[in-house]
Amino acid sequence: MALDKDENGIFQVAIDGPSGAGKSTVAKAVAASLGVEYVDTGAMYRAVAHKMRRLGLSLEDAEGIASMLQGTTVDFVGQRLLLDGEDVTDAIRSGAVAKLASDCSALPAVREKLVAAQRAMGEKKSVVMDGRDIGSNVFPRARHKFYLTAAPEERARRRLAELLAKGEDLSFEQVLDDIKLRDHNDSHRALNPLTRTPDAVEIDSTDMTVEAVLAAITGKIMEDRGAAAQAAVL
Ligand code: DC
């Protein structure tokens, strides 16, 4: 897909929304269709949670967490996530890591470290970045912002199918309760909570296919960039 370039040749697409709304599937496809890199910021919070579990660090241990963060690196190599050089892409996908990621993402020291890393990634090259606070906090001036959501029951259905395919044995009610708890945590924390900024385009994917969501997002990006290119000529 051909795109006009921003002044410095770099642009960001922010895709925020609650757990299980389909952000990563869609963001990955949008990035591929634009020919830019995809950054899954939720995976970065999961990586920190994974390390906390390994080290047995509690959420209350501010000193331990601060020193752990100092010696921690989180990098993407293509679609793989390296924690201190080790590939943890698959290890961070458990329910236990997801729960701790939601909890530790409320800690200022964790957010400070990961937000700085995310800004560094999106300032060097164009990215599609998904998360909770990309349009509101990481890149408030992002050219393209989307808020992708879906009814909690539909998100629970999708998440349950994923977990069952991986051999995790959970009921629909357990997954729905977990989704509601994470929604509450992610939207009510003091620092950079999940929120829809007024300039983000909201897409409710409850009754939409992945292809339809993808078409809506790429269509809007092309429309905006086409308008920007015209304005530059006038
Ligand atoms: O998208 P995910 O489920 O992989 O994210 C895991 C947790 O990380 C989520 O519960 C909230 C947190 N998170 C965040 O606070 N800010 C982001 N930009 C992305 C994720």
Side-chain angles (χ1 to χ4, degrees), residues 19-116:
S19 306
K23 295 186 302 291
S24 59
T25 308
V26 165
K28 223 177 274 174
V30 172
S33 94
L34 298 175
V36 304
E37 201 144 314
Y38 163 57
V39 179
D40 174 357
T41 63
M44 299 170 76
Y45 289 93
R46 285 171 183 259
V48 167
H50 180 65
K51 187 158 176 182
M52 281 179 65
R53 274 167 59 83
R54 258 196 192 162
L55 297 177
L57 282 173
S58 82
L59 286 161
E60 289 73 38
D61 184 357
E63 240 173 71
I65 292 174
S67 93
M68 176 271 287
L69 288 170
Q70 262 189 354
T72 297
T73 60
V74 178
D75 300 296
F76 288 96
V77 176
Q79 304 278 318
R80 310 301 294 179
L81 182 65
L82 303 189
L83 169 67
D84 303 332
E86 180 193 342
D87 189 332
V88 294
T89 315
D90 303 317
I92 59 172
R93 291 293 145 198
S94 72
V97 171
K99 170 73 180 67
L100 187 59
S102 181
D103 290 338
C104 81
S105 70
L107 301 175
V110 172
R111 296 207 77 80
E112 201 179 303
K113 164 126 188 161
L114 297 185
V115 167

Side-chain angles (χ1 to χ4, degrees), residues 4 15 41 85 92 101 116 130 181:
D4 64 308
I15 303 184
T41 63
I92 59 172
D130 76 3
L181 178 69

Side-chain angles (χ1 to χ4, degrees), residues 3-234:
L3 290 177
D4 64 308
K5 295 284 184 191
D6 289 8
E7 230 166 272
N8 60 1
I10 290 175
F11 64 91
Q12 297 98 20
V13 178
I15 303 184
D16 290 302
S19 306
K23 295 186 302 291
S24 59
T25 308
V26 165
K28 223 177 274 174
V30 172
S33 94
L34 298 175
V36 304
E37 201 144 314
Y38 163 57
V39 179
D40 174 357
T41 63
M44 299 170 76
Y45 289 93
R46 285 171 183 259
V48 167
H50 180 65
K51 187 158 176 182
M52 281 179 65
R53 274 167 59 83
R54 258 196 192 162
L55 297 177
L57 282 173
S58 82
L59 286 161
E60 289 73 38
D61 184 357
E63 240 173 71
I65 292 174
S67 93
M68 176 271 287
L69 288 170
Q70 262 189 354
T72 297
T73 60
V74 178
D75 300 296
F76 288 96
V77 176
Q79 304 278 318
R80 310 301 294 179
L81 182 65
L82 303 189
L83 169 67
D84 303 332
E86 180 193 342
D87 189 332
V88 294
T89 315
D90 303 317
I92 59 172
R93 291 293 145 198
S94 72
V97 171
K99 170 73 180 67
L100 187 59
S102 181
D103 290 338
C104 81
S105 70
L107 301 175
V110 172
R111 296 207 77 80
E112 201 179 303
K113 164 126 188 161
L114 297 185
V115 167
Q118 291 152 15
R119 288 192 180 133
M121 289 176 196
E123 279 162 7
K124 281 202 302 266
K125 52 188 184 258
S126 297
V127 289
V128 174
M129 199 172 270
D130 76 3
R132 306 293 188 287
D133 63 334
I134 311 307
S136 60
N137 173 53
V138 180
F139 288 112
R141 299 183 59 217
R143 272 283 289 284
H144 312 285
K145 296 187 188 179
F146 298 90
Y147 187 83
L148 184 58
T149 187
E153 291 72 17
E154 174 60 20
R155 290 189 278 126
R157 258 191 297 278
R158 294 176 192 170
R159 185 51 51 94
L160 181 63
E162 269 172 31
L163 293 173
L164 291 179
K166 281 198 309 191
E168 288 198 37
D169 186 19
L170 288 165
S171 71
F172 176 76
E173 285 69 29
Q174 281 173 306
V175 178
L176 182 59
D177 284 351
D178 177 60
I179 290 239
K180 286 183 174 166
L181 178 69
R182 285 179 64 200
D183 282 0
H184 186 272
N185 280 353
D186 295 349
S187 334
H188 288 83
R189 64 169 178 244
L191 199 58
N192 316 139
L194 168 65
T195 178
R196 186 203 149 195
T197 59
D199 56 351
V201 175
E202 178 161 347
I203 298 177
D204 183 337
S205 74
T206 305
D207 297 314
M208 291 171 82
T209 60
V210 171
E211 291 72 26
V213 175
L214 183 58
I217 292 182
T218 50
K220 177 76 176 99
I221 294 173
M222 294 312 285
E223 190 186 305
D224 288 350
R225 299 189 73 77
Q230 264 184 357
V233 171
L234 293 176

